[in-house]
Amino acid sequence: MRRKTQLTEEQKEILKQRNRQKKSQKELRWEKLDNTAHLFPVIAGEQMTNVYRISVTLKELVDPEILQQALDTLLPHFDGFNLRMRSGIFWNYLEENGKPAPRVVLESKFPCRFIRSNKTNSYLFRVSYFQYRINLEVFHVLTDGMGGFNFLKELVYQYLRLKHPEILEHTEDYLSSGTTLNREDSFLKNFKRPEKKVYKSQRAYLVKGDKLRNGELGVMHGYINVDELKKVSKSYGASINEYLVSTFIWSIYKECLHGTASKYPIRVAVPVNLRPYFNSTTTKNFFVMTSAEFHPVSETHVFEDVLNSVKESLRSQMNAEHLEQIFSYNVANQMNPWLRAVPLPIKNIAMRYVYRQSALAQTSTITNVGNIVIDDIYKPYIDIFHAFLTISTGQHIKGTVCSYEGTLIFTFSYNLIDPSIQRCFFRRLAEDGLHVEIESNGVHYV
């Protein structure tokens, strides 16, 4: 017998608000872009898609018809994904879509391609599958990695309930209690007038080299035991994140600079999820960029030099006060009355220019989306999760970290032909006694 559906207080309140809006308004629901999202539609295109992928690998082959049914059922409950992009006079904005859900497709091309609205019923995400894997690709204007996983987990739950009706004997046929529908703009809610600019804009060392063909994206996963990784990181007096970022920078120093001095520092952007710092559950973007930096000035640097520099630079930034200063500086620009009055086409030109300049200040990006926790009833059907970013201006290789059930997955995404950085990275881990299993999409053999 199906048990009575139980909703959290947050879910009840959001559904009440949604029903009131539907009764009081005949026009379509719309919402402003959050501070981070304003940039993405301006710079997005075929070469820099601003699309990220998160995926789940099941222990059984994916049934595409049931997956489509699951998406059709779930999408109306998620206001944050039931949206399309619109352009206003002064800003882009998001509007309720209401069309049928986009079609689930068999994956046949490289990941993180530009999302064309005429192929997705104007939605800003796509769902695909390949054998055991379900892929969710999201245009960053909708949400960050936390919001993406929030949606993917519910999609998988709904799929498994349809595929295995016996699950309903032990759970509810509705949203999980850990799922949020919150769409507040936490940037504006926590904004305080900044005192000064806090971003680094100095030029960084940029990784260069021969590229893969247009549209191709290399993907390489490394699987590492979390407990073993904790022991190694602790032996260096570092967190897992600090250790992995340092190993990445060390690999660039050894393979690209060949252990020599550089005019420019190696600087890696490290996104920080702001929700724990400001008690937020929003499914809009809510993150800022911090930077891990190492400036090689001689030919005698050892790994510990890199690690100490990374620890110093990251730890000085990982506090609520500094993080608040970072996003408040951005929000202050957005709220400037003179800038708000500038028509959107002129804003777009200015934002592209500012972005191109700021892009030169970062060598790469490493993002850690954290440990993925799912409800116990679904664990027997799920094998592993993956996540990775697409490339961007000046950043031809990036790293993404996630973990699930005691396994950490470090994923490289890149458009460089030469995989020497990846090879050096995993060899460095092995030198510290870590066992690493490596898997790739075979782009080097196409």
Side-chain angles (χ1 to χ4, degrees), residues 38-39 42 88-92 333-334 336-354:
H38 281 298
L39 177 65
V42 176
I89 298 175
F90 300 106
W91 295 106
N92 290 305
N333 289 331
Q334 175 190 338
N336 185 306
W338 295 103
L339 293 179
R340 292 174 67 180
V342 175
L344 182 60
I346 299 177
K347 279 195 183 85
N348 288 346
I349 295 172
M351 282 192 285
R352 289 192 193 101
Y353 173 79
V354 172

Side-chain angles (χ1 to χ4, degrees), residues 329-391:
Y329 174 78
N330 294 334
V331 174
N333 289 331
Q334 175 190 338
M335 296 176 67
N336 185 306
W338 295 103
L339 293 179
R340 292 174 67 180
V342 175
L344 182 60
I346 299 177
K347 279 195 183 85
N348 288 346
I349 295 172
M351 282 192 285
R352 289 192 193 101
Y353 173 79
V354 172
Y355 171 76
R356 284 195 295 267
Q357 298 304 307
S358 62
L360 300 178
Q362 303 292 344
T363 306
S364 183
T365 298
I366 291 185
T367 183
N368 190 336
V369 298
N371 183 44
I372 300 162
V373 179
I374 64 169
D375 294 349
D376 289 342
I377 191 67
Y378 303 102
K379 288 182 179 179
Y381 306 92
I382 294 175
D383 183 27
I384 201 73
F385 286 87
H386 297 95
F388 54 89
L389 307 169
T390 189
I391 58 168

